[in-house]
Every structure is written in structure tokens, then in C-alpha cells.
């Protein structure tokens, strides 16, 4: 049973929420670079963030391993040898555990610690933080690395409690492996997660049923082992390599396209798509082929046609092929897969269209739709996340004058540079909304460095409090809304707008202007004495002094 007895308040310079890529990078900067007294609090039983929780079969990043990592330490980069183009979830988890050990971070990480509230204390200009176990902290700075995809979305179906089999959610996977050999497995959902867990599980399951609402556009990943010499080559020019990566829009390794799909002949377009299909990678296909697939409907339609044609080449059963062929825009997060469509072809795999015939109920033996009952041993929910704001509204964040984050963000997230919400002094959200929409680790570590420089600057100039102005927050949101309006991403309903959660207000959650442009904004802000922030207050003592 959890004890809620309140404990003595521990005074810190900074509390960091979350032990994933963001939290670990931030703690390293605070602890090892600035010499501050800082702690990470995380509800998980280990470090790793996303990769601690998402241990489902087939879990992988779909970003190339050599840019799905930190670049802040050349020795770390040279020492850690990724084995595959797309790293397995377990390999990423080992990497983050290694980082925690290598930079001596564990001494300041409290695991199994669920933060319930964080209130700004006006009198002493500090954050009062409490956990479910009654731990209490007072911190000058509060930095969140909560992840935009971490609060699981688990829809509830009638009769679930009667099901005698096992129900699992991919984002809350057991720490001990589950053996699906010879079992009857149902998978609900076919986003990035669903296509991974489904393709992997279909290799050993006796029967696999995919409960699909919306067919997806996916391209092959073309995963392969990587030569350590290739990684050494990047390490030889690490800063230059990552500088180029970060100046791009998406923070991936590939060269982004500079031409539109309608600027070339149909033959050239076909050849460009074919090469991208053979090279593999979802982001590569969407942003490395032509520069207007995500903004121009005509160009988008050419990519749709190409992928639909390829799906038809892979899926030989005409009924399955029709079920798997998407008809809407290619304007969700681009997917890539490890033999997903090939798995659909297998005899042990069925696809049920639950848009046409919704799930009626779970029975004691399986799931019933209008097409009948299917008997199952396991049901895997791959139904995604209450994304972006999910974790921010689960914790009771209260800023100045009792302003609740859940109220401040009732109509969608708002924060200057995605980092700082007005009314929440000395609080920064790494990869928070509305922030960049990119490959995350190199973007996150850049933001962590930016925040640590800001804190150093405050300390050097005896500034005790910094807070985004409402005007800067609004101007940033207006820019995010304007840029997203020029893309096709807001034209369909998915997690990026909050449309995947019934009743959630649809909102613009990202800065879609690309990371290169984002860095220019944040750099200009810092160079102009943190323009967009109010700085005030007499200096209060730092705990580390
Ligand atoms: O979640 P999703 P995800 N009844 O929201 C369906 C990252 N990621 O976990 O499309 C029935 O994309 C829903 O159907 P529909 C990545 O950024 C990365 O897969 O709404 N079905 C959809 O099929 C990604 O974008 C990696 O009609 C329901 C699915 O569940 C993000 O995480 C790997 C339903 C949810 O898809 C989220 O991906 C994994 C309901 N009530 C994740 N509710 C890699 O790097 C939802 N669905 C490879």
C-alpha cells in the first residue's frame, strides 16, 4: 500500500520530471555542467522513458540509430556501437541505462516516484512538489521531460471484465516477455505501434486478428546491420554532422528534398519514389523525395497513388488488399515497417474492418463484432496515447495565482517556444507543446543545453525568476497555427491534433516550421536577453551554494 505520510521537504535547485532522453540530458547538464543540486523523479521502475514502458514485441525506433541518440559527448558517441539501422527498443533502453551510469546520474534519480502536484510558491519563488508517496521537494526550477507520447490511451469496450484471456496495452507492457507461440491474438490499432507488434507477433501466433479502423500508408523500413566503421566516420566529425542534421526540418540523417513533386515529369517522379521505396524509411519517403508532399494536395496524391500501387503488389489476396488500402491523405506521421504487408498476406492473419463493423463487446472467450465472435487468448491494445498534453493534465501543475495548467491549456497547449507557459515561472518543458515536430533526441539535447545556458545566465546576473510573457506565448502559438494551416497534417483526425481522444479539444500542438528555423527563434531569444520573457526578483540562494 502507498503511504501518503508527508515527509521532510528536500530543498533542491531543480527537479526534473522523467528519466527518458529529455530528463537524462537535462540532469547531466544541471548536475555535471552547472554543479547544481538536481533530481529526476519518475514513476517508472527504471530509466528509459518511452523505452521503459513500450517493450512490446517488434518495438523499434524508425529513426536511424546514428541520429537517434545524443551527440553532446564525443566519447559516448564513439563508444556506443549501434548494431542495426533502426534500433530495437531493448537496445535503446540499454543505451539510456548506459548513459545514466556513465554520467553518474543514478545517484540523483528517484524511480517508482509518481509526482502528483507541483505548485509555484509565490512567497519564496520556488516550486513545491509532492509525490504519491508523500515525498516533498522545494525547487527553484522545474523542468519537465514528460514525453508527448506517454499517457496511454486505453479505450474501454463493453464486457472487457468478462474476457478470460489476457488484455495488454503496448505502452504499458509487462517487464517479463510474453510468449505468443501458438496463441490466438487480437491486435486493436494499426498506427506505428500496431504495425510493429502485429508483424512481429504474426511470426509465432497460431492466429492473429487485426482490428483495423483506418488503413495506413506504410513504406518498407529496409532495416539492416550497420558497420561500426560507419559510426566511427560520423564520430570523426560529430559536431559538423549533427549541426547539419539539426539545421534540417526533421532532424533525420537523410537529405531533405528541395523540389516539389509537380516540378518533375511523371517518369522522374516515379523513379524518385521507387528509389525511396527501395532505400526505406517513412520520413525519408515523405520528406526526402519531394518538398511538398505534406503541403500540396496534388503532390500528396502522387505519393498516395504510388504507395497504394505498392500495397497491391505485396498483398496478393484481393479482399485483404482492399481492406488494407488507404483512401485518405498521406498526412499522418509517416510510417515504415518491417514486413507489415507481407505479414497481412500470411494465412494465420485476418483483418477485420471495425469502422464498418465496430467491436460490439468482449465475451469471455474473445471479441464479438457484427461479423461474429472471434476466440482469442490475448488482446493487444495498440491504441496509442492521450498525446502531447496527457501527462501535463494528469499532474496538478499550478503556476502563479493558482493558475492550473489544465485550465491554461483547456483549449490546447500554449507555451513560448514550446518551453515556457505564461504564468508558470522558472518552468521549462523539454520537447513540450507547441514545440518542434522532429526526430527527438538531437532536438531534445539542444533544448536541454539552451535551458541550462538560460539558468547559468540567470545565476550569473543574479536573476531569480524568469517567465514567458502572455504576448510572447500568444505570438508563438499564432505562428504555430499559421504554419500548421499551410500543411496537410491538420486536415485529418489523429493524435497530433488531439482528435484521437473522444471529447478532447482539437488544437495545434506543434511548431511545424522545422528544427532549423526553431533554433533560429530560440537563439535570437537568448541573444536578445531572453526576449519574450520577464525577468525579475532578488536573487534567492541556490541549494548548491
Ligand atoms: O498510436 P496511433 P501509436 N477503437 O494513435 C486505433 C510514436 N511511435 O501508438 O487511426 C479502435 O498512431 C487508431 O485508429 P484510427 C509515433 O510518433 C513511434 O501507433 O484512429 N481502434 C490507430 O490505428 C506514432 O505516431 C514508433 O482510426 C482505435 C491506433 O489505434 C505515435 O507514437 C513506434 C481506437 C492508434 O494509432 C503513436 O503511435 C511506435 C478505438 N477506440 C510509436 N482508438 C517508432 O518509432 C484508437 N484506435 C517506430
Amino acid at each position: 500500500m502507498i503511504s501518503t505520510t508527508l515527509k521532510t521537504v528536500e530543498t533542491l535547485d531543480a527537479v526534473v520530471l522523467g528519466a527518458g532522453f529529455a530528463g537524462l540530458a537535462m540532469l547531466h547538464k544541471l548536475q555535471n555542467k552547472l554543479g547544481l543540486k538536481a533530481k529526476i523523479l519518475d514513476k517508472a521502475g527504471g530509466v528509459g522513458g518511452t523505452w521503459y514502458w513500450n517493450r512490446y514485441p517488434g518495438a523499434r525506433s524508425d529513426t536511424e540509430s546514428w541520429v537517434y541518440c545524443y551527440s553532446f559527448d564525443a566519447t559516448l558517441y564513439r563508444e556506443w556501437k549501434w548494431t542495426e539501422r533502426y534500433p530495437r527498443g531493448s537496445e535503446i533502453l540499454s543505451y539510456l541505462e548506459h548513459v545514466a551510469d556513465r554520467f553518474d546520474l543514478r545517484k540523483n534519480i528517484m524511480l517508482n516516484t509518481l509526482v502528483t502536484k507541483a505548485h509555484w510558491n509565490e512567497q519564496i519563488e520556488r516550486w513545491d512538489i509532492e509525490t504519491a508517496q508523500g515525498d516533498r521537494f522545494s525547487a527553484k526550477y522545474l523542468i519537465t521531460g514528460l514525453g508527448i507520447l506517454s499517457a496511454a490511451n486505453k479505450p474501454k469496450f463493453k464486457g472487457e471484465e468478462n474476457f478470460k484471456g489476457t488484455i495488454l496495452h503496448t505502452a504499458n507492457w509487462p517487464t517479463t516477455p510474453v510468449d505468443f507461440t501458438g496463441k490466438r491474438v487480437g491486435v486493436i490499432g494499426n498506427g506505428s505501434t500496431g504495425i510493429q507488434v502485429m508483424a512481429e507477433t504474426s511470426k509465432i501466433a497460431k492466429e492473429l486478428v487485426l482490428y483495423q479502423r483506418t488503413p495506413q500508408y506504410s513504406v518498407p523500413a529496409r532495416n539492416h546491420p550497420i558497420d561500426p566503421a560507419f559510426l566511427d566516420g560520423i564520430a570523426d566529425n560529430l559536431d559538423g554532422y549533427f549541426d547539419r542534421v539539426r539545421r534540417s526540418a526533421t532532424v533525420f540523417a537523410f537529405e531533405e528534398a528541395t523540389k516539389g513533386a509537380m516540378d518533375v515529369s511523371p517518369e522522374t517522379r516515379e523513379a524518385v519514389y521507387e528509389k525511396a521505396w527501395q532505400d526505406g524509411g517513412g520520413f525519408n519517403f515523405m520528406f526526402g523525395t519531394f518538398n511538398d508532399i505534406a503541403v500540396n494536395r496534388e503532390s500528396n496524391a502522387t505519393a498516395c497513388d504510388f504507395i497504394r500501387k505498392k500495397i497491391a503488389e505485396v498483398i496478393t489476396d484481393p479482399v485483404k488488399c482492399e481492406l488494407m488500402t488507404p483512401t485518405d491523405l498521406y498526412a499522418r506521421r509517416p510510417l515504415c515497417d518491417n514486413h507489415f504487408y507481407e505479414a497481412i498476406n500470411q494465412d494465420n492473419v485476418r483483418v477485420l474492418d471495425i469502422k464498418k463493423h465496430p467491436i460490439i463487446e468482449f465475451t469471455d472467450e474473445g471479441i464479438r463484432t457484427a461479423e461474429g465472435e472471434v476466440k482469442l487468448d490475448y488482446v493487444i491494445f495498440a491504441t496509442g496515447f492521450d498525446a502531447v498534453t496527457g501527462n501535463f493534465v494528469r499532474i496538478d501543475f499550478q503556476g502563479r495565482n493558482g493558475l492550473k495548467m489544465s485550465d491554461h491549456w483547456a483549449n490546447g497547449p500554449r507555451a513560448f517556444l514550446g518551453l515556457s507557459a505564461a504564468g508558470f515561472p522558472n518552468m521549462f518543458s523539454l520537447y513540450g507543446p507547441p514545440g518542434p515536430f522532429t526526430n527527438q533526441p538531437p532536438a531534445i539535447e539542444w533544448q536541454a543545453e539552451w535551458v541550462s545556458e538560460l539558468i547559468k545566465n540567470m545565476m550569473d546576473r543574479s536573476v531569480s525568476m524568469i517567465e514567458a510573457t502572455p504576448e510572447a506565448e500568444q505570438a508563438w502559438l499564432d505562428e504555430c497555427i499559421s504554419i500548421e494551416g499551410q500543411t496537410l497534417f491538420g486536415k485529418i483526425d489523429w493524435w497530433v491534433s488531439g482528435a484521437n481522444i473522444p471529447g478532447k479539444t482539437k488544437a495545434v500542438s506543434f511548431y511545424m516550421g522545422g528544427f532549423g528555423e526553431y533554433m533560429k527563434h530560440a537563439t535570437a531569444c537568448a541573444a536578445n536577453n531572453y526576449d519574450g520573457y520577464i525577468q525579475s526578483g532578488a536573487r534567492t540562494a541556490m541549494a548548491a551554494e
Side-chain angles (χ1 to χ4, degrees), residues 295-314:
V295 295
N296 179 319
R297 280 181 185 268
E298 209 181 351
S299 300
N300 190 274
T302 66
C304 295
D305 286 345
F306 182 88
I307 299 175
R308 283 195 284 256
K309 184 186 76 179
K310 287 293 188 184
I311 293 172
E313 281 171 19
V314 181

Side-chain angles (χ1 to χ4, degrees), residues 45 73 108 127 135 155 186 221 257 264 328 375 377 403 477 488:
D73 187 280
N108 285 319
W127 283 95
D135 308 293
V264 301
D328 52 0
K375 296 193 168 145
D377 301 307
L403 176 64
L477 183 60
L488 299 174

Side-chain angles (χ1 to χ4, degrees), residues 269-279 306 309-310:
R269 198 160 52 230
E270 184 76 6
V272 170
Y273 284 142
E274 183 60 35
K275 179 168 182 330
W277 184 269
Q278 296 308 329
D279 288 348
F306 182 88
K309 184 186 76 179
K310 287 293 188 184

Side-chain angles (χ1 to χ4, degrees), residues 51 54 56 59-63 68 149 153 155-157 170 188-196 211-214 216 332-333 335-336 354-355 359 382-385 437 440 493-495 500:
W51 302 103
N54 289 267
Y56 59 86
R60 269 181 204 279
S61 169
D62 62 4
T63 305
Y68 195 78
L149 293 157
N153 169 38
K156 179 103 182 89
F157 291 99
T170 46
I188 303 177
N190 64 333
S192 305
T193 305
I195 65 170
Q196 289 187 329
Y211 292 88
Q212 173 180 268
R213 216 161 50 173
T214 315
Q216 297 265 12
R332 294 170 184 232
R333 184 191 185 282
L335 306 190
C336 68
I354 54 169
K355 194 165 261 171
I359 291 175
T383 42
F385 301 89
F437 185 67
Q440 295 191 33
D493 287 344
W494 59 308
W495 64 259
N500 64 326

Side-chain angles (χ1 to χ4, degrees), residues 508-526:
V508 167
S509 306
F510 288 98
Y511 170 75
M512 299 273 189
F515 199 68
E517 289 303 308
Y518 176 84
M519 287 194 303
K520 285 184 199 162
H521 282 286
T523 304
C525 161

